[in-house]
Amino acid sequence: MNNNNQLRHYRLSTARQNKSKITYQCIAALLTAALMPSSSFANKSSGTLEEILVTARKRSESMQTIPIAVSALTGQDLLDRGISNTKELTKIIPSLEIREGQANQIYIRGIGERTGFARVDPAVGVYLDDLFLPRSDGQLLDTVDVQSIQVLRGPQGTLFGKNTTGGALVVSLIKPNDSNEAYIDVGAGNVGQRHLKAAINIPISDTFYSRVAVNINKNEGYIEDISSGRSNSSIDRQSLLFQTRWEANESFSIDTQAFLGKVRENFPGANCNVPSNHALYIEGLWVAHPGDTDPSNLTAFRENCESNSRQRLGDLKSNQGQNAQLNKELDTLLFAATTEWEIRDSLSFKTVIGLRGEKEGPIQSSDTDGGPALWGSYVNTEDSNRRSYSLELQLNGDAFSQRLNYTTGFFLMHETNTEDFTITNTLRGLDAQTVGEIGLGEKPTRPISGGTIPLIGFVGAPLIASEFDLANTTAALFAQGSFDLTQQLEITLGFRITAERRESELTTLEADMDAIGARITGSGLFGNGITAGVFGPSAEGFYPYLGPLGWRDDPVSIAAALFPDANGDALLDYPVNPNSFRKEAREEVFTQSTPMLSVSYTLPERWLENSFVDSSMLYATWSRGFKSGFFEPRGIDGLQKIEPEVVTNHEIGFKVDAFDRSLRINAAFYAMDFNDQQLIAVGADSQQNIAVVFSNAGKSEIRGAEFEINWLPLPALAFNAALSINNYRYLEFTELDLQAAVIGQEKLVDRTDETFPVTPDKSASIGVQYTWSGDFGELTPRIDVSYKSAIFYGFDPGSYAIFKQDEELAGQPAYALIDARLSWQNPAGDTTVSGWVKNLSDERYRIGVVAVADSSGIYNQAYGEPRMFGIDIRKTY
């Protein structure tokens, strides 16, 4: 089938044919109802599925002719489904998970990045038109003035601006044009929801056009924090987008965009549970906290956590303390310019220039106790400043009578980031019996009832203040070409060589242990410090309590009260030792080549004559993706290198249009092999300080399948469905046993039986809509159902063991969400009114945050949106 036939306008529907074909279609729909949606629904007047053009290979092509697993939604699709933010794509795109929390987490086929730390790159690349957005905090875009969204699954290691191991999400904007047009979209709903989206297109001259779009999106939040009175999980986003297009002549154009964004909202409120008492900081070391009066019967830590539990507080309430830093303040300024020069009919040259600046305010990254008490926290204490500058050059062309299509080019990006963060831990207690056992390298046993001598000190460093400065430079050369060996057989070859320079500078300050000791002993209630010989050099002093009743006096509370959070910054106010200042810098260039090979075969038209199949394409792809290594601050050990991760994908698939273009089925089957997968976990430095750190899993694999379907049994009736099945497995993954590390032993834990975190093994969706037309206009009801299997949210092997016993304790059991929408469009087609409900059944489901059963022993959990409802009105001019 030649290119003209591949890209021809689809034939008009013959849906009015005999009843036997209608019956066959109904049976086919029932058999494929578990499959998936990919794109724009239909030409409603003809009952045929529209041709979807995508740019996955840097040129406009029909989605059904390219050998890539890609899903695409047009701007009209987003309106029909009520999708107002890219995070909602997780309900309908196979193998795509987007979680919004203190950092945006985007996963494709189980591959993603969980923390949002500036030192580690995202695994899924996000592009605004051709511009790469390097940090995840700026990636979760409201869908304002969007032409289309494409999701490319699998590693993108050849063409797209940045090497990624998971895939790419490409947002294309409506471009300025030569018409006078505008729209305004307003809406309101429960929990104080209100939004305004508007755009106007103004041609300045016959060759120069402009377009302005604004977006204001707010709600009051749906989680009430009873201790502070604030409402968490709120939204407050404002943005302004200004675009221009200059068509200097038929062969040269310049597009520009300027984006200004402002975010002022509260992070999702979290609840807490203790899944196991055997955690290191509870009965693993028999650690007493403020409020404990018997070291053999520790209750304070659990009580603090469970005072912020859903079981204790009730639905959609939290109790995270007065000083929790949960405000998200993010300012973004972005400018991009794209030039396209058609040198001749068969050759064009494109440049993409991008400038981006972001500032994020201080936030609390983690709460290690999970309750209202301030016993431990990790806080980004200063504004985080991010700058990036990028340049991409592309040469696109064809040769040999268009049998060869190729793209080659160069990508360069420089990025700077700052991250200032401070870790604080409260004073804790150990019984003299426990300290003696640990000092002998033995696992501590339960203290005798009532305890012996209370010893008050630090399990880990009381304070580490860090300033992290990063400079990343990426340079890459790439080339990819597709050649039609015959009219049916196409081969695609691609190659990319990437060099990533990582420059990291870390400065730290620690607490003044002498000043802390003087304040403790100066109270007159504690004796001179003794050396416990464990927990690192910052925790050498353990002070015996001298009070008359020993443990019954609650000595941990007495000592901890000497170091309050006086300024309310969610950090305990310990004196800092200026002589502890340390500075370390490391630099390395990580280089990797990422080739790809794909073969596709389009079935000849003569094979399909007199069949229900209109077109069919089979493909097989081998590709590789790469994510740069980096340097990880690891307690007393300073900067440690994390190796790059490399994923190799083997994939086969097919794309079929049938029944006079009324049925579309796409499927992909893949085997992905990981080397040195970058994972976040709980670890220890060489002095037994516990910290959340990155490490590499030696080898892991993903085996999976994805299916997608769109079906039009009638011109006014549309079905779509989705199914993805993935099997994630670590093949080589070991880490230190925390319990053994703290008592001075080196012991490894095998984690090869665990699944990947954050992303489910199975997901599915199905949607249906019907349009009634008449003199009253068009009335369209729509319903969508999405399903996720169980999701693991843990960091460590203890959490996984608990998850296998009870998914509620360290993850989210399988759940389904139902969304419904009813839209009316006036006969003129310029006004649409929509009433909608999301999460119709008011399901409670967790969207994070993390379970750490081995160390602190808590499961912090944030819940997704409850039932949300509202009305939208859209007017076009």
Side-chain angles (χ1 to χ4, degrees), residues 1-2 4-11 487-488 601-611 613-616 661:
M1 184 182 295
N2 58 38
N4 289 333
N5 285 333
Q6 289 176 333
L7 298 177
R8 73 186 186 278
H9 184 72
Y10 289 146
R11 295 190 297 268
Q487 287 188 343
Q488 279 72 48
Y601 185 77
T602 302
L603 271 61
E605 286 187 323
R606 66 179 183 276
W607 291 10
L608 306 178
E609 291 179 357
N610 302 318
S611 76
V613 178
D614 300 303
S615 66
S616 181
R661 311 290 178 183

PDB file of all heavy atoms in Angstrom, residues 1-2 4-11 487-488 601-611 613-616 661:
ATOM      1  N   MET A   1       0.860  -1.190   0.000  1.00  0.00           N
ATOM      2  CA  MET A   1       0.000   0.000   0.000  1.00  0.00           C
ATOM      3  C   MET A   1       0.893   1.236   0.000  1.00  0.00           C
ATOM      4  O   MET A   1       1.741   1.393   0.857  1.00  0.00           O
ATOM      5  CB  MET A   1      -0.896   0.011   1.234  1.00  0.00           C
ATOM      6  CG  MET A   1      -1.890   1.151   1.255  1.00  0.00           C
ATOM      7  SD  MET A   1      -2.882   1.126   2.788  1.00  0.00           S
ATOM      8  CE  MET A   1      -3.766  -0.396   2.552  1.00  0.00           C
ATOM      9  N   ASN A   2       0.748   2.135  -1.024  1.00  0.00           N
ATOM     10  CA  ASN A   2       1.621   3.291  -1.069  1.00  0.00           C
ATOM     11  C   ASN A   2       1.160   4.361  -0.088  1.00  0.00           C
ATOM     12  O   ASN A   2       0.110   4.263   0.541  1.00  0.00           O
ATOM     13  CB  ASN A   2       1.692   3.847  -2.512  1.00  0.00           C
ATOM     14  CG  ASN A   2       0.321   4.232  -3.057  1.00  0.00           C
ATOM     15  OD1 ASN A   2      -0.504   4.751  -2.314  1.00  0.00           O
ATOM     16  ND2 ASN A   2       0.088   3.981  -4.337  1.00  0.00           N
ATOM     17  N   ASN A   4       0.105   7.402  -0.496  1.00  0.00           N
ATOM     18  CA  ASN A   4      -1.149   8.097  -0.782  1.00  0.00           C
ATOM     19  C   ASN A   4      -2.347   7.270  -0.331  1.00  0.00           C
ATOM     20  O   ASN A   4      -3.322   7.795   0.198  1.00  0.00           O
ATOM     21  CB  ASN A   4      -1.255   8.390  -2.277  1.00  0.00           C
ATOM     22  CG  ASN A   4      -0.280   9.464  -2.714  1.00  0.00           C
ATOM     23  OD1 ASN A   4       0.095  10.311  -1.910  1.00  0.00           O
ATOM     24  ND2 ASN A   4       0.134   9.430  -3.976  1.00  0.00           N
ATOM     25  N   ASN A   5      -2.259   5.962  -0.557  1.00  0.00           N
ATOM     26  CA  ASN A   5      -3.357   5.104  -0.095  1.00  0.00           C
ATOM     27  C   ASN A   5      -3.418   5.051   1.415  1.00  0.00           C
ATOM     28  O   ASN A   5      -4.483   5.017   2.023  1.00  0.00           O
ATOM     29  CB  ASN A   5      -3.193   3.685  -0.658  1.00  0.00           C
ATOM     30  CG  ASN A   5      -3.559   3.622  -2.122  1.00  0.00           C
ATOM     31  OD1 ASN A   5      -4.365   4.408  -2.598  1.00  0.00           O
ATOM     32  ND2 ASN A   5      -2.953   2.678  -2.853  1.00  0.00           N
ATOM     33  N   GLN A   6      -2.232   5.029   2.066  1.00  0.00           N
ATOM     34  CA  GLN A   6      -2.208   4.975   3.519  1.00  0.00           C
ATOM     35  C   GLN A   6      -2.827   6.205   4.144  1.00  0.00           C
ATOM     36  O   GLN A   6      -3.463   6.129   5.207  1.00  0.00           O
ATOM     37  CB  GLN A   6      -0.766   4.832   4.018  1.00  0.00           C
ATOM     38  CG  GLN A   6      -0.169   3.464   3.746  1.00  0.00           C
ATOM     39  CD  GLN A   6       1.282   3.406   4.172  1.00  0.00           C
ATOM     40  OE1 GLN A   6       1.963   4.425   4.193  1.00  0.00           O
ATOM     41  NE2 GLN A   6       1.747   2.226   4.510  1.00  0.00           N
ATOM     42  N   LEU A   7      -2.638   7.354   3.504  1.00  0.00           N
ATOM     43  CA  LEU A   7      -3.079   8.606   4.105  1.00  0.00           C
ATOM     44  C   LEU A   7      -4.360   9.141   3.459  1.00  0.00           C
ATOM     45  O   LEU A   7      -4.727  10.283   3.665  1.00  0.00           O
ATOM     46  CB  LEU A   7      -1.962   9.657   3.981  1.00  0.00           C
ATOM     47  CG  LEU A   7      -0.677   9.304   4.707  1.00  0.00           C
ATOM     48  CD1 LEU A   7       0.387  10.377   4.461  1.00  0.00           C
ATOM     49  CD2 LEU A   7      -0.925   9.179   6.199  1.00  0.00           C
ATOM     50  N   ARG A   8      -5.021   8.316   2.639  1.00  0.00           N
ATOM     51  CA  ARG A   8      -6.227   8.815   1.973  1.00  0.00           C
ATOM     52  C   ARG A   8      -7.353   9.022   2.997  1.00  0.00           C
ATOM     53  O   ARG A   8      -7.341   8.420   4.070  1.00  0.00           O
ATOM     54  CB  ARG A   8      -6.668   7.838   0.899  1.00  0.00           C
ATOM     55  CG  ARG A   8      -7.290   6.551   1.450  1.00  0.00           C
ATOM     56  CD  ARG A   8      -7.588   5.549   0.333  1.00  0.00           C
ATOM     57  NE  ARG A   8      -8.307   4.394   0.820  1.00  0.00           N
ATOM     58  CZ  ARG A   8      -7.751   3.360   1.415  1.00  0.00           C
ATOM     59  NH1 ARG A   8      -6.442   3.353   1.611  1.00  0.00           N
ATOM     60  NH2 ARG A   8      -8.473   2.332   1.821  1.00  0.00           N
ATOM     61  N   HIS A   9      -8.274   9.817   2.642  1.00  0.00           N
ATOM     62  CA  HIS A   9      -9.436  10.041   3.524  1.00  0.00           C
ATOM     63  C   HIS A   9     -10.256   8.767   3.612  1.00  0.00           C
ATOM     64  O   HIS A   9     -10.536   8.123   2.601  1.00  0.00           O
ATOM     65  CB  HIS A   9     -10.299  11.169   2.959  1.00  0.00           C
ATOM     66  CG  HIS A   9     -11.444  11.536   3.846  1.00  0.00           C
ATOM     67  ND1 HIS A   9     -11.285  12.200   5.028  1.00  0.00           N
ATOM     68  CD2 HIS A   9     -12.780  11.307   3.705  1.00  0.00           C
ATOM     69  CE1 HIS A   9     -12.442  12.392   5.591  1.00  0.00           C
ATOM     70  NE2 HIS A   9     -13.382  11.844   4.812  1.00  0.00           N
ATOM     71  N   TYR A  10     -10.603   8.377   4.841  1.00  0.00           N
ATOM     72  CA  TYR A  10     -11.314   7.116   5.046  1.00  0.00           C
ATOM     73  C   TYR A  10     -12.687   7.136   4.359  1.00  0.00           C
ATOM     74  O   TYR A  10     -13.376   8.153   4.345  1.00  0.00           O
ATOM     75  CB  TYR A  10     -11.498   6.849   6.542  1.00  0.00           C
ATOM     76  CG  TYR A  10     -10.230   6.484   7.246  1.00  0.00           C
ATOM     77  CD1 TYR A  10     -10.024   6.875   8.573  1.00  0.00           C
ATOM     78  CD2 TYR A  10      -9.246   5.763   6.601  1.00  0.00           C
ATOM     79  CE1 TYR A  10      -8.860   6.535   9.228  1.00  0.00           C
ATOM     80  CE2 TYR A  10      -8.086   5.421   7.249  1.00  0.00           C
ATOM     81  CZ  TYR A  10      -7.885   5.803   8.561  1.00  0.00           C
ATOM     82  OH  TYR A  10      -6.744   5.471   9.213  1.00  0.00           O
ATOM     83  N   ARG A  11     -13.040   5.974   3.814  1.00  0.00           N
ATOM     84  CA  ARG A  11     -14.318   5.852   3.087  1.00  0.00           C
ATOM     85  C   ARG A  11     -15.511   6.091   4.006  1.00  0.00           C
ATOM     86  O   ARG A  11     -15.441   5.838   5.199  1.00  0.00           O
ATOM     87  CB  ARG A  11     -14.425   4.457   2.456  1.00  0.00           C
ATOM     88  CG  ARG A  11     -13.378   4.199   1.375  1.00  0.00           C
ATOM     89  CD  ARG A  11     -13.708   2.907   0.649  1.00  0.00           C
ATOM     90  NE  ARG A  11     -13.651   1.757   1.534  1.00  0.00           N
ATOM     91  CZ  ARG A  11     -12.574   1.022   1.704  1.00  0.00           C
ATOM     92  NH1 ARG A  11     -11.456   1.336   1.092  1.00  0.00           N
ATOM     93  NH2 ARG A  11     -12.595  -0.035   2.509  1.00  0.00           N
ATOM     94  N   GLN A 487       6.148  -1.728  -1.436  1.00  0.00           N
ATOM     95  CA  GLN A 487       4.987  -0.936  -1.057  1.00  0.00           C
ATOM     96  C   GLN A 487       4.431  -1.368   0.293  1.00  0.00           C
ATOM     97  O   GLN A 487       3.768  -0.589   0.972  1.00  0.00           O
ATOM     98  CB  GLN A 487       3.903  -1.057  -2.128  1.00  0.00           C
ATOM     99  CG  GLN A 487       4.218  -0.291  -3.402  1.00  0.00           C
ATOM    100  CD  GLN A 487       3.041  -0.284  -4.361  1.00  0.00           C
ATOM    101  OE1 GLN A 487       2.113  -1.089  -4.237  1.00  0.00           O
ATOM    102  NE2 GLN A 487       3.067   0.633  -5.322  1.00  0.00           N
ATOM    103  N   GLN A 488       4.699  -2.610   0.703  1.00  0.00           N
ATOM    104  CA  GLN A 488       4.165  -3.117   1.960  1.00  0.00           C
ATOM    105  C   GLN A 488       5.194  -3.160   3.091  1.00  0.00           C
ATOM    106  O   GLN A 488       4.838  -3.079   4.261  1.00  0.00           O
ATOM    107  CB  GLN A 488       3.618  -4.544   1.764  1.00  0.00           C
ATOM    108  CG  GLN A 488       2.238  -4.607   1.161  1.00  0.00           C
ATOM    109  CD  GLN A 488       2.245  -4.236  -0.316  1.00  0.00           C
ATOM    110  OE1 GLN A 488       3.060  -4.737  -1.085  1.00  0.00           O
ATOM    111  NE2 GLN A 488       1.332  -3.357  -0.719  1.00  0.00           N
ATOM    112  N   TYR A 601       5.052  -4.298   8.268  1.00  0.00           N
ATOM    113  CA  TYR A 601       4.486  -4.865   7.040  1.00  0.00           C
ATOM    114  C   TYR A 601       3.007  -4.529   6.983  1.00  0.00           C
ATOM    115  O   TYR A 601       2.245  -4.849   7.905  1.00  0.00           O
ATOM    116  CB  TYR A 601       4.681  -6.380   7.003  1.00  0.00           C
ATOM    117  CG  TYR A 601       4.231  -7.010   5.702  1.00  0.00           C
ATOM    118  CD1 TYR A 601       5.017  -6.921   4.553  1.00  0.00           C
ATOM    119  CD2 TYR A 601       3.016  -7.676   5.617  1.00  0.00           C
ATOM    120  CE1 TYR A 601       4.613  -7.492   3.359  1.00  0.00           C
ATOM    121  CE2 TYR A 601       2.590  -8.250   4.424  1.00  0.00           C
ATOM    122  CZ  TYR A 601       3.396  -8.158   3.296  1.00  0.00           C
ATOM    123  OH  TYR A 601       2.995  -8.714   2.102  1.00  0.00           O
ATOM    124  N   THR A 602       2.610  -3.852   5.916  1.00  0.00           N
ATOM    125  CA  THR A 602       1.211  -3.512   5.675  1.00  0.00           C
ATOM    126  C   THR A 602       0.608  -4.536   4.736  1.00  0.00           C
ATOM    127  O   THR A 602       1.134  -4.764   3.639  1.00  0.00           O
ATOM    128  CB  THR A 602       1.086  -2.102   5.076  1.00  0.00           C
ATOM    129  OG1 THR A 602       1.677  -1.150   5.968  1.00  0.00           O
ATOM    130  CG2 THR A 602      -0.368  -1.742   4.842  1.00  0.00           C
ATOM    131  N   LEU A 603      -0.466  -5.175   5.148  1.00  0.00           N
ATOM    132  CA  LEU A 603      -1.077  -6.206   4.320  1.00  0.00           C
ATOM    133  C   LEU A 603      -1.567  -5.612   3.000  1.00  0.00           C
ATOM    134  O   LEU A 603      -2.186  -4.533   2.990  1.00  0.00           O
ATOM    135  CB  LEU A 603      -2.247  -6.865   5.060  1.00  0.00           C
ATOM    136  CG  LEU A 603      -1.907  -8.079   5.925  1.00  0.00           C
ATOM    137  CD1 LEU A 603      -0.928  -7.722   7.037  1.00  0.00           C
ATOM    138  CD2 LEU A 603      -3.184  -8.701   6.506  1.00  0.00           C
ATOM    139  N   PRO A 604      -1.293  -6.274   1.881  1.00  0.00           N
ATOM    140  CA  PRO A 604      -1.732  -5.757   0.577  1.00  0.00           C
ATOM    141  C   PRO A 604      -3.253  -5.689   0.496  1.00  0.00           C
ATOM    142  O   PRO A 604      -3.966  -6.508   1.097  1.00  0.00           O
ATOM    143  CB  PRO A 604      -1.171  -6.787  -0.425  1.00  0.00           C
ATOM    144  CG  PRO A 604      -0.097  -7.511   0.315  1.00  0.00           C
ATOM    145  CD  PRO A 604      -0.512  -7.514   1.750  1.00  0.00           C
ATOM    146  N   GLU A 605      -3.731  -4.721  -0.255  1.00  0.00           N
ATOM    147  CA  GLU A 605      -5.176  -4.540  -0.388  1.00  0.00           C
ATOM    148  C   GLU A 605      -5.839  -5.769  -1.005  1.00  0.00           C
ATOM    149  O   GLU A 605      -6.962  -6.129  -0.651  1.00  0.00           O
ATOM    150  CB  GLU A 605      -5.479  -3.311  -1.237  1.00  0.00           C
ATOM    151  CG  GLU A 605      -5.229  -1.993  -0.530  1.00  0.00           C
ATOM    152  CD  GLU A 605      -5.706  -0.823  -1.362  1.00  0.00           C
ATOM    153  OE1 GLU A 605      -5.560  -0.868  -2.606  1.00  0.00           O
ATOM    154  OE2 GLU A 605      -6.231   0.134  -0.763  1.00  0.00           O
ATOM    155  N   ARG A 606      -5.117  -6.435  -1.906  1.00  0.00           N
ATOM    156  CA  ARG A 606      -5.733  -7.600  -2.554  1.00  0.00           C
ATOM    157  C   ARG A 606      -5.996  -8.730  -1.556  1.00  0.00           C
ATOM    158  O   ARG A 606      -6.888  -9.550  -1.760  1.00  0.00           O
ATOM    159  CB  ARG A 606      -4.844  -8.086  -3.704  1.00  0.00           C
ATOM    160  CG  ARG A 606      -3.496  -8.646  -3.285  1.00  0.00           C
ATOM    161  CD  ARG A 606      -2.689  -9.120  -4.490  1.00  0.00           C
ATOM    162  NE  ARG A 606      -1.433  -9.722  -4.103  1.00  0.00           N
ATOM    163  CZ  ARG A 606      -0.321  -9.061  -3.843  1.00  0.00           C
ATOM    164  NH1 ARG A 606      -0.327  -7.725  -3.927  1.00  0.00           N
ATOM    165  NH2 ARG A 606       0.790  -9.699  -3.499  1.00  0.00           N
ATOM    166  N   TRP A 607      -5.191  -8.780  -0.473  1.00  0.00           N
ATOM    167  CA  TRP A 607      -5.417  -9.807   0.545  1.00  0.00           C
ATOM    168  C   TRP A 607      -6.695  -9.524   1.347  1.00  0.00           C
ATOM    169  O   TRP A 607      -7.262 -10.447   1.940  1.00  0.00           O
ATOM    170  CB  TRP A 607      -4.238  -9.874   1.511  1.00  0.00           C
ATOM    171  CG  TRP A 607      -2.980 -10.407   0.917  1.00  0.00           C
ATOM    172  CD1 TRP A 607      -2.705 -10.652  -0.394  1.00  0.00           C
ATOM    173  CD2 TRP A 607      -1.795 -10.760   1.638  1.00  0.00           C
ATOM    174  NE1 TRP A 607      -1.435 -11.118  -0.556  1.00  0.00           N
ATOM    175  CE2 TRP A 607      -0.839 -11.206   0.688  1.00  0.00           C
ATOM    176  CE3 TRP A 607      -1.442 -10.734   2.984  1.00  0.00           C
ATOM    177  CZ2 TRP A 607       0.437 -11.613   1.040  1.00  0.00           C
ATOM    178  CZ3 TRP A 607      -0.174 -11.143   3.347  1.00  0.00           C
ATOM    179  CH2 TRP A 607       0.761 -11.585   2.395  1.00  0.00           C
ATOM    180  N   LEU A 608      -7.075  -8.257   1.388  1.00  0.00           N
ATOM    181  CA  LEU A 608      -8.180  -7.864   2.249  1.00  0.00           C
ATOM    182  C   LEU A 608      -9.504  -7.745   1.510  1.00  0.00           C
ATOM    183  O   LEU A 608     -10.529  -7.441   2.121  1.00  0.00           O
ATOM    184  CB  LEU A 608      -7.853  -6.524   2.917  1.00  0.00           C
ATOM    185  CG  LEU A 608      -6.518  -6.468   3.673  1.00  0.00           C
ATOM    186  CD1 LEU A 608      -6.300  -5.077   4.247  1.00  0.00           C
ATOM    187  CD2 LEU A 608      -6.475  -7.523   4.765  1.00  0.00           C
ATOM    188  N   GLU A 609      -9.475  -7.934   0.180  1.00  0.00           N
ATOM    189  CA  GLU A 609     -10.709  -7.828  -0.596  1.00  0.00           C
ATOM    190  C   GLU A 609     -11.720  -8.862  -0.112  1.00  0.00           C
ATOM    191  O   GLU A 609     -11.378  -9.991   0.219  1.00  0.00           O
ATOM    192  CB  GLU A 609     -10.407  -8.024  -2.080  1.00  0.00           C
ATOM    193  CG  GLU A 609      -9.616  -6.871  -2.688  1.00  0.00           C
ATOM    194  CD  GLU A 609      -9.307  -7.114  -4.162  1.00  0.00           C
ATOM    195  OE1 GLU A 609      -9.665  -8.208  -4.654  1.00  0.00           O
ATOM    196  OE2 GLU A 609      -8.697  -6.233  -4.791  1.00  0.00           O
ATOM    197  N   ASN A 610     -12.974  -8.414  -0.068  1.00  0.00           N
ATOM    198  CA  ASN A 610     -14.086  -9.270   0.353  1.00  0.00           C
ATOM    199  C   ASN A 610     -13.966  -9.730   1.809  1.00  0.00           C
ATOM    200  O   ASN A 610     -14.543 -10.742   2.201  1.00  0.00           O
ATOM    201  CB  ASN A 610     -14.196 -10.495  -0.558  1.00  0.00           C
ATOM    202  CG  ASN A 610     -14.399 -10.114  -2.009  1.00  0.00           C
ATOM    203  OD1 ASN A 610     -15.173  -9.204  -2.325  1.00  0.00           O
ATOM    204  ND2 ASN A 610     -13.696 -10.805  -2.908  1.00  0.00           N
ATOM    205  N   SER A 611     -13.187  -9.007   2.621  1.00  0.00           N
ATOM    206  CA  SER A 611     -13.088  -9.304   4.047  1.00  0.00           C
ATOM    207  C   SER A 611     -13.588  -8.097   4.836  1.00  0.00           C
ATOM    208  O   SER A 611     -13.799  -7.022   4.284  1.00  0.00           O
ATOM    209  CB  SER A 611     -11.656  -9.635   4.456  1.00  0.00           C
ATOM    210  OG  SER A 611     -10.863  -8.458   4.523  1.00  0.00           O
ATOM    211  N   VAL A 613     -11.808  -6.618   7.042  1.00  0.00           N
ATOM    212  CA  VAL A 613     -10.627  -5.838   7.398  1.00  0.00           C
ATOM    213  C   VAL A 613     -10.348  -4.817   6.306  1.00  0.00           C
ATOM    214  O   VAL A 613     -10.231  -5.165   5.121  1.00  0.00           O
ATOM    215  CB  VAL A 613      -9.402  -6.741   7.608  1.00  0.00           C
ATOM    216  CG1 VAL A 613      -8.160  -5.899   7.921  1.00  0.00           C
ATOM    217  CG2 VAL A 613      -9.662  -7.732   8.742  1.00  0.00           C
ATOM    218  N   ASP A 614     -10.225  -3.545   6.690  1.00  0.00           N
ATOM    219  CA  ASP A 614      -9.930  -2.483   5.732  1.00  0.00           C
ATOM    220  C   ASP A 614      -8.436  -2.264   5.571  1.00  0.00           C
ATOM    221  O   ASP A 614      -7.957  -1.995   4.479  1.00  0.00           O
ATOM    222  CB  ASP A 614     -10.592  -1.173   6.181  1.00  0.00           C
ATOM    223  CG  ASP A 614     -12.095  -1.307   6.292  1.00  0.00           C
ATOM    224  OD1 ASP A 614     -12.727  -1.670   5.283  1.00  0.00           O
ATOM    225  OD2 ASP A 614     -12.624  -1.073   7.391  1.00  0.00           O
ATOM    226  N   SER A 615      -7.698  -2.326   6.667  1.00  0.00           N
ATOM    227  CA  SER A 615      -6.244  -2.187   6.608  1.00  0.00           C
ATOM    228  C   SER A 615      -5.655  -2.866   7.827  1.00  0.00           C
ATOM    229  O   SER A 615      -6.286  -2.942   8.883  1.00  0.00           O
ATOM    230  CB  SER A 615      -5.811  -0.713   6.565  1.00  0.00           C
ATOM    231  OG  SER A 615      -6.145  -0.059   7.777  1.00  0.00           O
ATOM    232  N   SER A 616      -4.422  -3.355   7.668  1.00  0.00           N
ATOM    233  CA  SER A 616      -3.764  -4.028   8.785  1.00  0.00           C
ATOM    234  C   SER A 616      -2.261  -3.878   8.631  1.00  0.00           C
ATOM    235  O   SER A 616      -1.714  -4.010   7.536  1.00  0.00           O
ATOM    236  CB  SER A 616      -4.141  -5.508   8.823  1.00  0.00           C
ATOM    237  OG  SER A 616      -3.519  -6.155   9.917  1.00  0.00           O
ATOM    238  N   ARG A 661     -14.006   0.982   8.490  1.00  0.00           N
ATOM    239  CA  ARG A 661     -13.378   1.974   9.384  1.00  0.00           C
ATOM    240  C   ARG A 661     -14.233   2.294  10.600  1.00  0.00           C
ATOM    241  O   ARG A 661     -14.074   3.351  11.209  1.00  0.00           O
ATOM    242  CB  ARG A 661     -13.068   3.274   8.638  1.00  0.00           C
ATOM    243  CG  ARG A 661     -12.336   3.112   7.329  1.00  0.00           C
ATOM    244  CD  ARG A 661     -10.921   2.678   7.530  1.00  0.00           C
ATOM    245  NE  ARG A 661     -10.230   2.482   6.252  1.00  0.00           N
ATOM    246  CZ  ARG A 661      -8.989   2.045   6.119  1.00  0.00           C
ATOM    247  NH1 ARG A 661      -8.294   1.756   7.188  1.00  0.00           N
ATOM    248  NH2 ARG A 661      -8.445   1.897   4.936  1.00  0.00           N
TER     249      ARG A 661
END
